[in-house]
Amino acid sequence: MSVTLSGDWRRLRVAINPAAFNQRLKKEVGRATLLNVKIVQKHIRATLQGIGPANAPLTIEIKKSKKPLIDFGDLRKAIQGRRLKFNLGVAGVNVQSASYNIGLFLHDGGTITVTDRMRNMFKLLFYVSQGRLDPSMLTGRARELYDRNPGVSWRPINTGSIKIPGRPFVKQTLEDKSLLEKVRKNYLEAVKRAHRGY
């Protein structure tokens, strides 16, 4: 009795070879990780567009906008994603200043201490609003704020601190069940491709 093998036995040998399967799995999961990182990055950016509540009155005067977190687009651009390992990626924001992480501060909220310099700046802006100081006398940040929104009736700051509410744009994104399902599906498809051997 003899057996003749026909068909694509090479594919079967590749499919049942553990080393070859592990290599394919690593490659396919790596591709899925990169895809998922970009998807999460895109979703975080989209969440920024619709996050609430509206800005506080002082912020509206400074930004000339009720829309939170969106100003010049710096935060949106700072949201990045990258693959760290074949099965590990990260997406989020990491905009650093000397004393704190701005992205984390905007996400979780916090308190800004009002300094004498800030207090004096808003006092000058108030004087301009009252017609007691010519706008051409303003310099630095005061001039920048005035030029950006010259019609504002500025007021002095009479508080020791300003509370910034948290806008949990990353947390909100990661609680989106449809996003999590999309990520899970991409990984499942990667494992299927590895099993198929192509």
Side-chain angles (χ1 to χ4, degrees):
M1 177 181 194
S2 67
V3 177
T4 303
L5 301 179
S6 64
D8 194 354
W9 284 88
R10 183 198 62 77
R11 179 177 286 181
L12 177 62
R13 282 195 300 274
V14 169
I16 63 175
N17 180 326
F21 173 72
N22 285 340
Q23 187 177 0
R24 287 193 314 275
L25 184 64
K26 193 170 183 178
K27 176 184 172 187
E28 294 299 337
V29 169
R31 285 173 52 195
T33 298
L34 187 57
L35 175 63
N36 285 334
V37 161
K38 294 302 178 189
I39 288 170
V40 172
Q41 174 187 334
K42 183 178 177 182
H43 273 70
I44 294 171
R45 288 178 173 177
T47 300
L48 283 176
Q49 300 294 327
I51 202 151
N55 284 328
L58 177 60
T59 307
I60 293 169
E61 290 172 357
I62 291 171
K63 288 175 57 175
K64 203 175 181 179
S65 169
K66 293 181 181 179
K67 202 167 182 73
L69 301 178
I70 305 296
D71 197 4
F72 295 113
D74 294 345
L75 180 60
R76 187 177 185 283
K77 290 176 199 163
I79 294 167
Q80 299 295 321
R82 65 187 172 116
R83 188 177 68 182
L84 302 176
K85 297 180 184 176
F86 81 96
N87 62 346
L88 179 65
V90 63
V93 63
N94 190 20
V95 181
Q96 296 286 338
S97 81
S99 55
Y100 57 87
N101 181 310
I102 295 169
L104 185 62
F105 185 83
L106 293 172
H107 188 275
D108 294 344
T111 302
I112 297 173
T113 302
V114 175
T115 63
D116 288 339
R117 189 171 177 180
M118 290 168 65
R119 207 178 308 281
N120 290 337
M121 179 184 72
F122 281 101
K123 194 180 290 183
L124 289 174
L125 287 167
F126 171 69
Y127 290 157
V128 168
S129 296
Q130 299 293 306
R132 294 163 55 188
L133 180 68
D134 189 292
S136 65
M137 302 297 291
L138 296 174
T139 60
R141 179 72 170 146
R143 182 68 198 208
E144 182 185 321
L145 292 177
Y146 175 80
D147 287 345
R148 186 169 188 190
N149 204 355
V152 168
S153 294
W154 296 99
R155 297 176 302 280
I157 292 182
N158 297 317
T159 183
S161 62
I162 300 171
K163 176 88 171 138
I164 306 297
R167 316 278 189 173
F169 51 93
V170 174
K171 181 177 183 287
Q172 188 174 321
T173 300
L174 296 178
E175 289 173 348
D176 181 345
K177 288 187 176 21
S178 66
L179 171 64
L180 299 179
E181 179 56 28
K182 193 180 292 186
V183 167
R184 188 193 72 79
K185 185 178 176 185
N186 287 337
Y187 278 123
L188 184 60
E189 288 299 318
V191 172
K192 286 179 181 177
R193 284 194 303 272
H195 271 292
R196 287 195 300 262
Y198 57 91

